[in-house]
Amino acid sequence: MIAMLLSELTSGALVAASDGGPLWLLALGPAGGGALYFGLWRYYRNTHQSHSFERETRIEAKPIIAHDTKVDEIKGTKKSGIDGDNGTDHRKRVQRLDS
Amino acid sequence: MTTLPPPGEGARPATNNAPDEPTANQTVNPTVNPTIDTRNERLDDGINRCPKCGSTEIQLRPSVGMLVCLFCRHEWAEARLDETIVNGDLAALRGTTIGSGASDIDTGADSLITMKCAGCGAEVVVNTDEQMGARCHWCRHVLTVNEQVANGAVPDAVLPFAITHDAATVKIREFAGKRRLFADRAFVRGFKPENVFGVYMPYMVVDANASADVAGFGEVKTRQYTRGTNNNKETYYDADVYSVQRHIDFTADDLTIEASSERAQMNAAANTNNIINTILPFDTANAVKWNASYLTGFTSEKRDQDVAETTPELEDQLLSIARSQLASSVDRYDRGVRWERERVEVHGTRWVAMYLPVWLYSHYQERGGKTMVHYIAVNGRTGEVMGSVPVSTPRLLAAALTVGTVLEGIVIAMLGASR
């Protein structure tokens, strides 16, 4: 029954799209269903949870020492942000240098 | 850039604080590895008597965090570990200091300890892999293991349960109750939160004095504009690129790291150990010196990780803390920052092995030849609760299809109306 309903919905949507309607709107149904599945699954399983030791540990830090140098200019890029932005992903390790 | 430059010359402080703060790349003396003696010298292996009436029927009273004599109701507590060892300024911490209960495990050490009952003289064997006390089978006295043993079964300190069994049951019922509709039916049928059991889990609690250097690139937007006409308009950006380097000196107090190799394995596809990790932190400053009577009525898991084996996790956490601490210093890079290299230098650490209290409810799930144990865990001190509830895939799919279909119907109706 659900398959029949989806079939009717899809054929109707294709007619609408062929008349000039925005085709991307048709993705809203599958996207909404998928988001609900994923959201509920995470709410039940909590696989993304862990101890926030960065915030929940007593840390005392001295003033940060910074050294910033302009090295290049970018003109006319379509990208709204830097490639590989990991400024807020504190747990993603990068190349480790020996101490 | 291929290397991180030393901080100092040419550097400027990212904050308004004094720019001439020391950068403190201190020399570490790796030969200094002092041990803190945390043995509870007041207690011996064997009979652990009530200081008032001499009874051996002693257990923890979680609601007050005290040991209670079941005969005369006298209540008392062991001294806090923090009061018995010198803590000092963490910024002055150098080398590696280890509590005697966190010493390297002797894998050849026998887990079986034979104790002579002081009540009747009988010899009673305790398997320290599984329990830290036993009842004399002749005179019924309770015998406990109080002296630190080479197999790592006795830690430096224990943090007693403060949340009662009843309170933990309520929290687990409440947590699972919110997740009933799409839960696996076998979980719902077998749900008996009163079956929660209290377990002391082994951890290394670490103080650290460290420095970190991080380097990468940051971008600042200088211009935003559009090109094209009508429906073909596109947004373009100009930006300045900076080489970004940061150095930070910091101390961390009581980082808590799993000292059981099995619990330290956090793989969401294979286990739910992250659940137990999530209920951290504990108020470890209130941990008391070891007394096996705190474990009466509870189970415990023995430590199987030494300082050397948990050091990589410590360094990983220190790097994450450093990255988190310096995040505010790169706010000006509105197009983001890409860190590419990092380094941590640990100047000093202090390690203490500790048993921390966790209420655990578990559900064993077997599906498609794969097995998984789902935990709902309650922090035995703060009451923080977290859990993994197995889902009913058919119910979840039905809900997703229903919502997807309704949304699709609305979209089609809208498209139809706009024709």
Side-chain angles (χ1 to χ4, degrees), chain B residues 394-405:
Chain B
R395 284 185 171 227
L396 219 51
L397 277 174
L401 277 173
T402 304
V403 169
T405 305

Side-chain angles (χ1 to χ4, degrees), chain B residues 236-300:
Chain B
Y236 289 83
Y237 305 89
D238 292 349
D240 288 342
V241 182
Y242 287 82
S243 160
V244 182
Q245 295 165 359
R246 293 290 182 272
H247 174 88
I248 184 170
D249 299 307
F250 64 100
T251 61
D253 188 6
D254 284 2
L255 273 169
T256 307
I257 298 172
E258 280 83 2
S260 156
S261 56
E262 196 180 335
R263 300 293 155 224
Q265 297 296 321
M266 284 173 218
N267 176 0
N271 60 53
T272 61
N273 286 334
N274 73 301
I275 296 300
I276 304 172
N277 177 264
T278 305
I279 61 168
L280 294 171
F282 289 83
D283 55 333
T284 45
N286 291 317
V288 295
K289 293 190 83 167
W290 173 257
N291 182 330
S293 293
Y294 281 110
L295 272 63
T296 305
F298 301 102
T299 60
S300 61

